């Protein structure tokens, strides 16, 4: 069975999507439509922008979504997923890929999500940190020992867990993780505590938009970050998508469940090859492919 996976924030690069725009009429039409929906020329930033311009959350999230979804459309008949999953933001790309959401509605939601998250980031100084070389349970326990808000946020692969929370609490947690034997514990260059309780204002804002959007019955299951299990019920997909903003991304467990349910290859659709690397760290024998035109 073919599993298709879609990357999240951090995979962006200057020039992303230009090859699609120049070589496909379908891509050109969708990129032009995206500029109209967003109300600014995201194509100009994607194709010509600097790393700093691309790093703004309100740009990054729609840009990665557009690269992933438009690439999947350009692949045409060769794009045949039996199951899909996306890392954080990538879950929206996955839901277009399996027919749950249409392109326009999903892009509007991604834009709302990005702006709501940016606003939540500005309310309180917060950040994230990567912890390498510790068991998940040790990291979780360490977070509980710290005063202030700090939680496990991204279960990326065995031995790699990202924590999220208040700046001071994260700094203390990094020191504690090193004492507990972490190979590395380093603060990441991000502007907020994604997938933590500090995203609650954004979750509330996005919940209203998701509830007002039509979700269709998908043509194949999505393995969502919150539950890690195959989901096909539109109402359950909505509920999980709302919960995702303040809940951890359980990527390791999602990949394990996709393999358990019969995945024989993973195709990464979108910028970069981060997810292919994470899949290999979950199961070295698994075939990974990067989609390209």
């Amino acid at each position: 069975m073919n599993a298709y996976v879609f990357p999240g924030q951090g995979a962006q690069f200057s020039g992303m999507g230009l090859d699609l725009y120049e070589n496909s009429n379908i891509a050109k039409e969708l990129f032009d439509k995206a500029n109209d929906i967003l109300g600014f020329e995201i194509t100009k930033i994607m194709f010509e922008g600097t790393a700093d311009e691309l790093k703004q959350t309100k740009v990054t999230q729609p840009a990665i979504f557009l690269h992933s979804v438009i690439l999947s459309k350009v692949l045409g008949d060769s794009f045949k997923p039996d199951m899909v999953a996306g890392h954080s933001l990538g879950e929206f790309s996955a839901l277009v890929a399996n027919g749950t959401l249409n392109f326009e509605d999903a892009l509007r939601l991604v834009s709302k999500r990005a702006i709501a998250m940016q606003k939540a980031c500005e309310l309180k100084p917060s950040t994230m940190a990567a912890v390498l070389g510790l068991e998940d349970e040790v990291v979780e326990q360490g977070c509980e020992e710290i005063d202030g808000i700090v939680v496990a946020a991204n279960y990326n692969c065995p031995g790699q867990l990202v924590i999220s929370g208040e700046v001071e609490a994260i700094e203390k947690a990094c020191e504690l993780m090193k004492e507990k034997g972490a190979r590395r514990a380093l603060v990441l260059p991000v502007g907020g505590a994604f997938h933590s309780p500090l995203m609650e204002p954004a979750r509330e804002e996005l919940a209203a938009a998701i509830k007002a959007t039509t979700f269709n019955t998908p043509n194949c299951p999505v393995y969502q970050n919150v539950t890690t299990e195959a989901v096909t019920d539109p109402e359950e997909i909505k509920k999980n998508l709302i919960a995702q903003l303040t809940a951890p991304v359980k990527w390791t467990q999602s990949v394990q469940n996709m393999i358990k349910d019969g995945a024989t290859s993973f195709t990464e659709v979108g910028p970069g090859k981060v997810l292919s690397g994470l899949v290999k760290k979950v199961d070295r024998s698994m075939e990974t492919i990067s989609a390209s035109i």
Side-chain angles (χ1 to χ4, degrees):
M1 292 174 80
N2 300 315
Y4 280 72
V5 292
F6 301 84
Q9 208 159 331
Q12 69 275 8
F13 63 91
S14 187
M16 62 191 287
L18 182 59
D19 57 335
L20 299 172
Y21 190 87
E22 290 178 340
N23 292 297
S24 163
N25 289 332
I26 295 168
K28 188 175 186 307
E29 187 183 318
L30 289 172
F31 274 122
D32 290 343
K33 189 180 279 189
N35 286 338
D36 290 341
I37 289 170
L38 294 171
F40 67 95
E41 272 197 85
I42 193 165
T43 47
K44 191 168 176 59
I45 304 172
M46 288 174 71
F47 304 162
E48 304 167 24
T50 63
D52 276 348
E53 287 172 315
L54 269 172
K55 207 165 63 180
Q56 303 170 70
T57 297
K58 72 164 192 172
V59 173
T60 313
Q61 294 195 21
I64 291 166
F65 167 84
L66 288 171
H67 189 286
S68 297
V69 169
I70 292 173
L71 175 54
S72 71
K73 302 276 190 199
V74 171
L75 292 172
D77 292 342
S78 69
F79 182 77
K80 290 199 179 87
D82 297 307
M83 52 179 79
V84 295
H87 192 288
S88 189
L89 158 75
E91 196 157 279
F92 287 83
S93 310
L95 292 174
V96 177
N98 74 354
T100 304
L101 285 168
N102 68 37
F103 172 79
E104 295 84 354
D105 285 345
L107 178 57
R108 287 187 189 98
L109 288 177
V110 165
S111 179
K112 277 198 172 77
R113 179 184 191 263
I115 292 163
M117 287 171 78
Q118 187 64 50
K119 280 197 286 192
C121 292
E122 288 160 8
L123 291 174
K124 189 161 207 176
S126 56
T127 191
M128 302 174 83
V131 181
L132 308 181
L134 281 183
E135 296 289 322
D136 291 348
E137 297 76 18
V138 177
V139 179
E140 290 162 353
Q141 187 188 338
C143 288
E144 286 173 17
E145 292 172 28
I146 300 290
D147 285 336
I149 296 171
V150 55
V151 295
N154 294 355
Y155 294 77
N156 285 334
C157 64
Q160 187 190 124
L161 209 165
V162 175
I163 57 176
S164 182
E166 295 164 330
V167 170
E168 201 177 326
I170 288 286
E171 288 168 353
K172 285 180 188 164
C174 284
E175 291 310 310
L176 181 62
M177 299 306 169
K178 287 172 192 168
E179 286 168 23
K180 288 179 179 285
R183 196 165 73 249
R184 289 182 81 187
L186 65 160
V187 178
L188 298 172
V190 297
F194 304 142
H195 303 288
S196 84
L198 293 169
M199 285 292 117
E200 181 57 29
R203 190 195 68 79
E204 288 173 11
E205 205 171 315
L206 189 64
I210 287 174
K211 284 171 184 167
T213 301
T214 301
F215 278 52
N216 307 304
T217 302
N219 51 41
C220 72
V222 58
Y223 287 69
Q224 289 185 276
N225 295 173
V226 171
T227 63
T228 79
E229 303 286 345
V231 187
T232 53
D233 175 58
E235 287 308 311
E236 196 182 335
I237 291 171
K238 274 189 180 187
K239 191 180 72 182
N240 293 335
L241 201 57
I242 292 166
Q244 192 219 64
L245 270 186
T246 52
V249 173
K250 295 180 178 174
W251 188 252
T252 306
Q253 300 88 327
S254 298
V255 171
Q256 287 166 338
N257 283 336
M258 292 168 97
I259 294 168
K260 177 171 67 75
D261 291 349
T264 50
S265 73
F266 282 78
T267 301
E268 183 165 4
V269 187
K273 297 181 180 180
V274 170
L275 299 185
S276 299
L278 296 181
V279 168
K280 284 285 190 192
K281 284 176 179 162
V282 174
D283 184 339
R284 289 174 70 86
S285 68
M286 195 52 54
E287 181 189 17
T288 56
I289 303 154
S290 284
S292 60
I293 53 169

